Amino acid sequence: MRALTVIPSIIATTAAASAATGLSCIPAASKDPAWLALLDDERRAAAVASQAAGAADEAFGHFAKARASFMEGWQAEWDDKFGRPHKFIDARPTHEEGDERVNAGIADYNAFPTMMKEKRNQTTAALNTQYGVQETEEVWSAAHDTRMGAIKAIIAYPSRDPDIIAHKLGLLIEHFGDEEGDLKPLLTSITGEA
């Protein structure tokens, strides 16, 4: 069972590391400076990641609203002109006549789909830049990676303290899930809380 292959290895590793480093009698979790420092690092990283996520969501929201407004007009133009070559012929300069006017109009009609796709792509890219979508997404991604690093440091911390082990399990469940349903019972067995 996939979930159980993770936890015993973590518990075994931390127990072994604890014995090897003489930390089998470390202070209680609430008093261990090294442990508390890791928790503080994770809390700070979580706050930064949350703020970055909010900024990214806000930027994308503005972008999506502006693009939806643009696409409304874009779609109206597409629906009005696509499949109607006569509109392009009629739009040609009045000095053009006969075959010249028709051929030029048909050429405009044939170029219409490519022109519209380019217009859509260029406007989308411009709005992305205007509202800083990619920029804020990159900031959030970096902040998220930092938080994941802080969480991994917590999980890797060597300790036999049941409170610390329970905290590690809680983080694993919260951030990586418990698809097999094996972690929550193990957490309950440690904390005594359902």
Side-chain angles (χ1 to χ4, degrees), residues 31-112:
K31 298 179 181 179
D32 184 358
W35 173 250
L36 293 178
L38 291 176
L39 296 182
D40 285 341
D41 287 345
E42 194 277 328
R43 278 192 288 266
R44 283 193 294 269
V48 172
S50 177
Q51 184 177 9
D57 286 344
E58 183 178 1
F60 183 80
H62 291 312
F63 161 80
K65 184 177 180 180
R67 187 177 186 277
S69 178
F70 160 75
M71 285 302 297
E72 185 177 351
W74 185 95
Q75 190 65 52
E77 182 179 2
W78 178 272
D79 293 342
D80 179 58
K81 294 180 179 179
F82 185 71
R84 298 178 174 88
H86 66 276
K87 285 182 172 287
F88 294 85
I89 296 172
D90 292 344
R92 295 301 303 176
T94 55
H95 66 81
E96 295 179 351
E97 298 181 354
D99 288 344
E100 179 187 7
R101 185 181 183 87
V102 171
N103 291 337
I106 293 299
D108 290 344
Y109 172 74
N110 290 335
F112 177 68

Side-chain angles (χ1 to χ4, degrees), residues 23 31 48 59 64 70 91 124 137 142 148 158-159 162 167 170 173 189-190:
L23 293 175
K31 298 179 181 179
V48 172
F70 160 75
T124 297
E137 179 70 19
M148 288 300 102
S159 175
H167 191 88
I173 293 169
S189 72
I190 296 172

